[in-house]
Amino acid sequence: MCGAEAASIVTGVKAIIYTSVGASDVLELAERPTPAPGPGEVRVRVAISGVNATDWKCRQFGHVQGRLLYPMVIPHHDGSGVIDAVGEGVDRERLGRRVWLWDAAWRRPGGTAAEYVVVPQRQAVELPPDVSYETGAGIGLPAVAAHSCLLAMGGAPTRLGPGALAGRRVLVVGGTGTLGHAAIQLAAWSGAEVIATASHPEQAGRARAAGARQTVDYRADTAAVDVRAAAPDGVDLIVQVAPSAYAEVDQEVLAPAGTVAAYATEGRGRVTLPIAVLMGRNVRYQFVLGATLPAAAKDIAVADVAAAVATGALTVGADSGLPVLRFPLARTADAHDAVQAGSAGKVLVDVATL
């Protein structure tokens, strides 16, 4: 194989592709030439592909100004599988290693919704033998973005890990979503006191399973009072899924020098802020998009996430508060629709049995 050391030879791969923007019906199952890893790259036989909101948004609205960056796109950033070929400059010891993938489709036309994917070797991270492919495919982009949110607060440490956030109070709004779930787990692993939002008992149970000590209904008229009851001095950080809808409540529950880390756009939502009040309290807002984080920040996040995964602190599944909804590769369109509809859990696409 040109420029590569391979453990196996394959002649063609099944993949989900799209060539134009639009609804999920633009996705089609096709056979594509087998990708070969170039210098510094690895090829991974994909077991499971993870679906995120970014995936359906890029498909429906395009990459830049309504356009695709490539004539043909294989979607999905996240996944898990086994390295079966390596390019020049990559240690052959990596052949056969179980890995989880992140940013596979970032500035590349080929993502993980295929039997094989090629990525730079740093984007294929060792998956411990006792960690499931489901967890491997379910972390990726949400966990990297959650990591950045948690380090956004004033005086934050440079890394996450046991004790790193001891004494900090973190409120996670949308804690039963994929990023919110990762934020709860990473914050709890790092020693923070975590409060999460839940609008009904089932959500509250899921948030507590992830590691939240207390839950509140952020849509209730008593939301600010309830958060203050749990954190009388206010919270140091709010990991916020709806910065426009909850701006007033956020401002009521933030401690002095507190931070709102917002990771969702609410469509074309706008946040109106009382500048004088927030300036006097030294409040900050940090907007986070995982895909566009600087490379150095991504590398630190991936290292910390990998450490959390290795210790069992970061996982997916009903027991950890994030149920899994699975689809076969041929039904990737249904998987996209499920994420777009706000599915309660992590949406995964089964690609191959490994």
Side-chain angles (χ1 to χ4, degrees):
M1 184 170 294
C2 181
E5 296 283 355
S8 60
I9 302 296
V10 290
T11 58
V13 300
K14 292 180 181 177
I16 296 297
I17 67 169
Y18 61 96
T19 57
S20 62
V21 297
S24 62
D25 59 6
V26 301
L27 298 172
E28 58 180 298
L29 181 64
E31 185 167 301
R32 301 296 304 159
T34 304
E41 296 180 331
V42 298
R43 187 177 72 192
V44 176
R45 185 184 180 198
V46 180
I48 301 176
S49 179
V51 189
N52 298 303
T54 296
D55 299 315
W56 73 258
K57 289 178 180 179
C58 286
R59 183 214 71 226
Q60 184 156 321
F61 303 117
H63 297 123
V64 178
Q65 297 180 342
R67 298 180 292 104
L68 299 179
L69 291 176
Y70 311 99
M72 185 208 70
V73 175
I74 298 173
H76 304 174
H77 291 284
D78 299 339
S80 59
V82 173
I83 294 175
D84 90 314
V86 300
E88 182 182 350
V90 180
D91 190 341
R92 292 191 72 252
E93 290 295 320
R94 299 208 70 187
L95 288 169
R97 297 292 180 87
R98 302 169 77 247
V99 294
W100 59 274
L101 305 167
W102 59 277
D103 260 5
W106 174 239
R107 295 180 176 172
R108 300 170 70 90
T112 65
E115 292 178 306
Y116 292 85
V117 65
V118 168
V119 296
Q121 62 171 322
R122 65 189 270 272
Q123 291 170 220
V125 185
E126 194 91 2
L127 186 65
D130 59 341
V131 177
S132 69
Y133 285 118
E134 288 82 0
T135 289
I139 45 181
L141 189 59
V144 168
H147 182 280
S148 184
C149 288
L150 292 171
L151 293 187
M153 73 179 90
T158 58
R159 302 289 294 265
L160 294 182
L165 298 180
R168 301 300 186 103
R169 297 149 299 182
V170 176
L171 171 64
V172 180
V173 181
T176 54
T178 54
L179 191 150
H181 176 265
I184 292 174
Q185 289 193 314
L186 289 171
W189 175 60
S190 299
E193 180 180 342
V194 184
I195 306 166
T197 64
S199 57
H200 53 75
E202 188 271 338
Q203 283 190 343
R206 287 174 54 195
R208 287 193 294 269
R213 294 187 183 180
Q214 300 184 63
T215 61
V216 298
D217 184 350
Y218 222 49
R219 299 184 301 181
D221 293 339
T222 59
V225 173
D226 295 339
V227 173
R228 282 287 185 174
D233 296 325
V235 295
D236 301 300
L237 173 71
I238 301 174
V239 180
Q240 182 57 269
V241 69
S244 174
Y246 297 126
E248 291 186 8
V249 181
D250 287 350
Q251 293 154 29
E252 290 184 56
V253 303
L254 273 176
T259 300
V260 177
Y263 63 89
T265 63
E266 299 171 279
R268 296 183 180 275
R270 295 178 178 272
V271 181
T272 301
L273 303 175
I275 296 174
V277 173
L278 299 185
M279 184 179 294
R281 294 171 57 200
N282 287 288
V283 165
R284 69 171 67 188
Y285 271 72
Q286 175 69 53
F287 294 89
V288 174
L289 180 61
T292 58
L293 288 169
K298 289 183 180 181
D299 286 340
I300 290 172
V302 169
D304 289 351
V305 167
V309 170
T311 63
L314 185 60
T315 184
V316 303
D319 290 346
S320 71
L322 189 67
V324 170
L325 183 60
R326 304 175 74 143
F327 295 86
L329 185 63
R331 290 184 56 202
T332 298
D334 293 334
H336 277 222
D337 290 343
V339 174
Q340 186 171 358
S343 173
K346 181 63 187 182
V347 175
L348 300 175
V349 171
D350 290 313
V351 180
T353 301
L354 300 181

